Amino acid sequence: MNIKAFTREERAEYLKTLGQPKFREKQIFEWICRGALSVDEMSNLPAALRSRLEMESVEVALEQRSASDGTRKFLLRFTDGNTAEAVFMKYDYGNSLCLSTQIGCAMGCSFCASTIGGRVRNLKAWEILDEYLVIRRSVGEDINHIVLMGMGEPLDNYSEVSAFLKLIHDPDGVGLSYRNITLSTCGIVPMIGRFGDDFPQVNLAVSLHASNQEKRAALMPVAKRWNIDELIDACREHAEKTGRRVTFEYTLIRGKNDSPADAAELSSMLKGMLCHVNLIPLNPVKETGLEGADRKAAKEFAEMLERLGIPATVRRELGRDIDAACGQLRKKTLV
Ligand code: SAH
C-alpha cells in the first residue's frame, strides 16, 4: 500500500476506496514530485488521512564524489532490497542525471559492467522517477537533463520506461521537457519505431560501437538478433520521422575498433543521416580484459570522422575515479 508505488490512476482508485475526493490524488502526486519522503510532510492533507497512508521511497545506500569533476555517484536501494546506481553530473548547460532502468542487464555486451550477473528485474516507472526525486533532494539543486544511460536496457523494459517518461513530463509534477531527456539503446530494433512514434521529442542515442556486422556481433550479442543494417535503417527512419539528430555512441577499444579504416567504414555507413557520433574511450571494467584508446587517439578518430562529413565529439570521462563513467555502473551489495 505504498502510496508512491501506484500509477496515478491506481492511486486515484485507492483514494476513492478511502472515501477521498478526486483532487487528493493531484495533491499527493505534487508532494511526491516535490520530493516528499514521508506522508507527514504533506501538510495540506487532513491528519486523519495522513495517518491511513503509507509511503516508502528509494534510499541512498552510498554516495561517492569524484575528486576531479564534481560528479556524484549514488548507490540506490529499492524497497525490495535490490540496488542500482545513478550518476549526477555537472555540465556548462546545467545538471544532468544518468538513471538506471533495470536491476542488472540481459544484453551481455562484452565491455560493460552492468550486464555482469545478468538481469535481476525491471524497474517500475515510479522507481525510476524516485531515483530522480531522491537524488535531487539529496543534492539540493535542480536537475534539468535526464539520460537513460545507467544500468539496464530501456527498450527491454519499454512499458515501465514509457510510463516513467510520461510521469516525469507530467505538468502536475516535475514537468521536465521531453527535449531534455535522452534514451539510449543497444539496438532493440523493433522498439525503435515504437519509441519514435510515442516520444518523437525524446532524444535517441544508439550504442553502435562498431562499423560492421562482424565486429559488432563480436562485441554485442544483440547484433546477432538484429543486424547492423536493420539497426541503421531504423535509425535513418527515426531521424526522418522526428526531424531530430540520432546520437551514436561509439566506445573506442584499443586494437578492436579504433583504426582509421574503422573511421572510414563508419562514416560511409552513416553518410547522409541526421546524426552525431559520440566517442567514448573505453572505461576500464576489470572483468573484461579490454583496454581503451587514449584521449589523443580518440581525438584523431573524431577528426577523421569530421573530415569525412560526420559530426563527432569525444565524451568527457566524468566520474572515472569513482567508477561512475559509462559502462561502469553495477548492482552492488555493501559489505
Ligand atoms: N543499455 C543501453 C543504456 C546503457 S547506456 C545502451 O546500451 O545504450 C551506457 C553506455 O555506455 C552505452 O553506450 C554502453 O555501450 C556504453 N559502455 C558500456 N561499457 C562501457 C565501457 N566500459 N566504457 C565506455 N562505455 C561503455
Side-chain angles (χ1 to χ4, degrees):
M1 285 300 139
N2 179 3
I3 198 73
K4 263 190 178 177
F6 286 124
T7 65
R8 291 198 67 181
E9 295 71 31
E10 287 166 353
R11 191 180 300 115
E13 278 303 307
Y14 175 64
L15 289 163
K16 205 165 146 192
T17 67
L18 300 181
Q20 292 298 312
K22 239 179 156 174
F23 61 84
R24 289 281 180 242
E25 194 286 324
K26 181 160 180 261
Q27 288 179 318
I28 294 173
F29 183 63
E30 284 168 352
W31 279 111
I32 291 173
C33 291
R34 268 179 230 149
L37 293 178
S38 121
V39 180
D40 299 329
E41 292 176 45
M42 303 183 180
S43 52
N44 57 356
L45 301 188
L49 173 60
R50 273 183 278 162
S51 68
R52 296 179 70 183
L53 299 178
E54 284 167 43
M55 189 160 95
E56 266 194 289
S57 300
V58 173
E59 281 171 19
V60 174
L62 180 71
E63 180 186 340
Q64 289 166 277
R65 295 187 190 208
S66 163
S68 48
D69 57 34
T71 299
R72 295 159 76 165
K73 182 168 78 165
F74 295 84
L75 179 67
L76 301 168
R77 190 187 300 113
F78 296 88
T79 52
D80 66 349
N82 270 304
T83 59
E85 295 183 312
V87 182
F88 171 84
M89 291 157 288
K90 281 184 163 308
Y91 289 95
D92 329 332
Y93 57 75
N95 294 328
S96 178
L97 187 60
C98 176
L99 297 176
S100 289
T101 56
Q102 296 178 315
I103 308 277
C105 182
M107 297 297 127
C109 297
S110 60
F111 41 79
C112 183
S114 298
T115 196
I116 296 168
R119 176 187 52 207
V120 177
R121 71 169 175 89
N122 286 330
L123 287 171
K124 292 285 195 184
W126 80 269
E127 293 178 305
I128 306 171
L129 178 66
D130 224 26
E131 293 181 48
Y132 172 89
L133 296 173
V134 300
I135 290 174
R136 189 187 60 186
R137 181 165 169 142
S138 174
V139 299
E141 291 180 39
D142 205 16
I143 298 173
N144 12 49
H145 287 85
I146 296 284
V147 295
L148 297 180
M149 296 190 184
M151 185 158 55
E153 168 48 50
L155 297 187
D156 183 37
N157 180 18
Y158 188 68
S159 61
E160 294 299 324
V161 166
S162 60
F164 158 75
L165 292 172
K166 289 177 192 154
L167 264 185
I168 199 159
H169 179 67
D170 192 322
D172 290 342
V174 178
L176 191 69
S177 157
Y178 281 140
R179 290 171 185 265
N180 291 3
I181 306 176
T182 300
L183 178 148
S184 179
T185 179
C186 66
I188 314 259
V189 170
M191 298 308 291
I192 292 177
R194 169 108 185 262
F195 166 70
D197 291 337
D198 293 348
F199 300 100
Q201 293 180 315
V202 173
N203 304 294
L204 173 68
V206 173
S207 299
L208 191 58
H209 304 320
S211 54
N212 63 46
Q213 172 62 13
E214 195 190 336
K215 285 194 179 188
R216 191 163 191 267
L219 292 170
M220 304 175 73
V222 69
K224 294 178 190 145
R225 181 79 171 75
W226 296 286
N227 75 38
I228 200 164
D229 298 329
E230 293 174 86
L231 176 60
I232 297 298
D233 285 349
C235 294
R236 269 186 208 282
E237 242 171 70
H238 181 88
E240 278 160 26
K241 182 164 75 186
T242 63
R244 296 177 69 76
R245 189 176 292 275
V246 174
T247 297
F248 289 103
E249 293 149 298
Y250 191 103
T251 298
L252 290 162
I253 309 172
R254 190 174 302 174
K256 298 246 183 220
N257 63 1
D258 62 343
S259 73
D262 290 304
E265 193 174 35
L266 182 61
S267 72
S268 49
M269 185 166 66
L270 301 182
K271 206 158 221 81
M273 193 189 321
L274 185 59
C275 74
H276 169 260
V277 175
N278 204 203
L279 297 163
I280 318 167
L282 185 85
N283 294 305
V285 172
K286 62 177 185 306
E287 292 89 339
T288 69
L290 296 169
E291 256 188 283
D294 59 33
R295 208 147 175 99
K296 186 167 160 281
K299 277 221 172 96
E300 284 166 9
F301 198 94
E303 280 161 15
M304 179 150 178
L305 286 178
E306 291 271 353
R307 273 200 303 279
L308 295 168
I310 306 293
T313 46
V314 182
R315 185 177 286 180
R316 287 165 65 204
E317 297 134 309
L318 295 176
R320 244 202 205 181
D321 61 335
I322 51 169
D323 282 352
C326 303
Q328 296 184 311
L329 302 190
R330 299 170 186 255
K331 53 185 185 293
K332 258 201 305 224
T333 33
L334 292 172
V335 279

